[in-house]
Amino acid sequence: MNIKQIRYFATVVELGSLSAAAKSRFVTVQAVSKAIADLERELGRSLFVRESRGVHPTPFGEAFYQKAAVVLKDFDELEAFAKGYRERESTNALRLALCSPPFYGNEQARASIAAFAKRGLRVDVSVALETGTEGVAKLRGNDYDALITIGTFVHPGIDCVPVGTVAPGVVMAKDHPLASQESVSLADLACYPVSLSTEFDNFNDSIVTMYRRRKANMDFVPLVPSKFDHHLTVDKGVCFMVYIPALGAMHPGTVIRPIAPGDAVAVPICLVSMKDRKASSYLAFERWLASELAVLGGAFDASAK
């Protein structure tokens, strides 16, 4: 016996038919019918009398409903309490997630973001590392107040607010032929494979997505994390990243070089939140960023093309 079965049962009693209950609960008639059948099997008693024009509870079903109504009321109050507690708790904390592939030193980067936010808000701030898909799922589940994305993310029910821009760069092995250069042009990269993440570059408007849209002459190679070292050291491949020198090496044994000014694009850093649910701590953070005109990771000329 579970709460979903009890809720379906009560809805059928109140509406008088399985189809009406299914419509009310936004599920199929088959789902409601199975839940009732499973519940009757467990109880060893019939709950309804089936008729051509609907159903009505048996005497046992009527008595069971009276008890179930009390249980459902208590359960709804318990859910409301838990939701209210989370909302009250979130006013004293800001829960962020950075949507980025794992990179060397990400703990330091996340700690810096948390310290930056805490300085403006005077509340506890946590910054996790997530994939885009998992991050959005947890955002919808109220595990996070907002996501930080490198590039815009457009989706129904989601707000995406640009808060600044950063420059693009490329990560490569220290012995890569391009490592000795101060910057790297797109023409330089035409000779080397460029990694394409099946998770991140299909999720939002990433750096790779921006260059692919421009039909840049580069060999983009789908890559899984386990093949990343091989890509860098054996294939002499490169990987696009934001160019933030303060973060140091993005991966052991690598260097990062900026994209040459003539080929650089302004990469937006965005805050992603639910349209219909914004914690007060997040709203305060968004207002503070706007007032500070802050650029996460450092300033970059947004007019770069």
Side-chain angles (χ1 to χ4, degrees):
M1 187 184 307
N2 59 56
I3 197 68
K4 182 170 69 174
Q5 292 172 326
I6 301 300
R7 203 176 290 284
Y8 287 176
F9 160 74
T11 306
V12 173
V13 172
E14 291 160 3
L15 299 182
S17 81
L18 273 66
S19 59
K23 185 176 181 180
S24 173
R25 291 289 163 189
F26 301 100
V27 296
T28 64
V29 175
Q30 289 80 4
V32 173
S33 179
K34 183 179 185 304
I36 298 300
D38 290 345
L39 186 57
E40 289 180 323
R41 188 178 305 110
E42 184 174 348
L43 295 171
R45 303 288 295 270
S46 294
L47 293 168
F48 293 102
V49 176
R50 277 73 172 173
E51 298 176 336
S52 59
R53 303 181 66 177
V55 299
H56 66 267
T58 61
F60 173 76
E62 181 62 40
F64 190 78
Y65 171 75
Q66 298 302 320
K67 296 288 186 181
V70 175
V71 170
L72 291 173
K73 180 176 180 296
D74 289 343
F75 188 81
D76 289 341
E77 290 177 355
L78 184 62
E79 280 192 321
F81 166 78
K83 180 180 179 182
Y85 190 89
R86 287 197 305 269
E87 290 174 350
R88 289 191 299 274
E89 190 177 49
S90 67
T91 62
N92 298 315
L94 179 65
R95 303 160 301 164
L96 303 174
L98 175 63
C99 292
S100 167
F103 59 90
Y104 182 68
N106 74 79
E107 296 87 354
Q108 174 190 341
R110 291 187 285 119
S112 297
I113 294 171
F116 170 75
K118 187 173 183 178
R119 190 183 73 222
L121 298 181
R122 300 292 190 270
V123 300
D124 290 333
V125 180
S126 61
V127 182
L129 191 70
E130 288 285 3
T131 66
T133 303
E134 187 67 18
V136 169
K138 291 185 177 180
L139 180 68
R140 293 184 184 280
N142 201 31
D143 292 315
Y144 298 127
D145 298 310
L147 310 177
I148 302 170
T149 63
I150 302 167
T152 56
F153 175 67
V154 179
H155 197 274
I158 298 288
D159 275 336
C160 181
V161 179
V163 294
T165 55
V166 289
V170 285
V171 174
M172 64 192 75
K174 287 182 177 180
D175 62 353
H176 193 282
L178 299 178
S180 61
Q181 299 182 188
E182 291 187 1
S183 64
V184 177
S185 69
L186 297 187
D188 292 331
L189 296 177
C191 301
Y192 304 99
V194 180
S195 66
L196 185 155
S197 168
T198 54
E199 164 63 37
F200 291 93
D201 295 319
N202 291 327
F203 166 70
N204 69 326
D205 203 4
S206 69
I207 300 174
V208 167
T209 304
M210 295 169 75
Y211 280 116
R212 292 182 78 189
R213 187 182 300 123
R214 291 167 178 247
K215 301 188 184 305
N217 182 28
M218 287 183 279
D219 180 21
F220 292 101
V221 179
L223 204 64
V224 296
S226 62
K227 299 293 184 182
F228 189 67
D229 287 341
H230 189 278
H231 172 74
L232 293 178
T233 59
V234 178
D235 298 336
K236 297 302 178 186
V238 300
C239 173
F240 275 111
M241 294 285 287
V242 295
Y243 181 63
I244 306 177
L247 292 180
M250 294 290 190
H251 196 73
T254 67
V255 295
I256 184 168
R257 296 289 180 260
I259 296 296
D263 291 329
V265 294
V267 183
I269 301 297
C270 301
L271 287 176
V272 173
S273 60
M274 299 299 300
K275 284 183 180 291
D276 59 354
R277 190 188 67 244
K278 299 180 191 292
S280 58
S281 57
Y282 167 73
L283 290 173
F285 182 52
E286 194 176 281
R287 288 193 298 269
W288 180 69
L289 280 178
S291 67
E292 291 288 313
L293 298 178
V295 177
L296 299 180
F300 178 61
D301 181 4
S303 65
K305 302 298 181 183

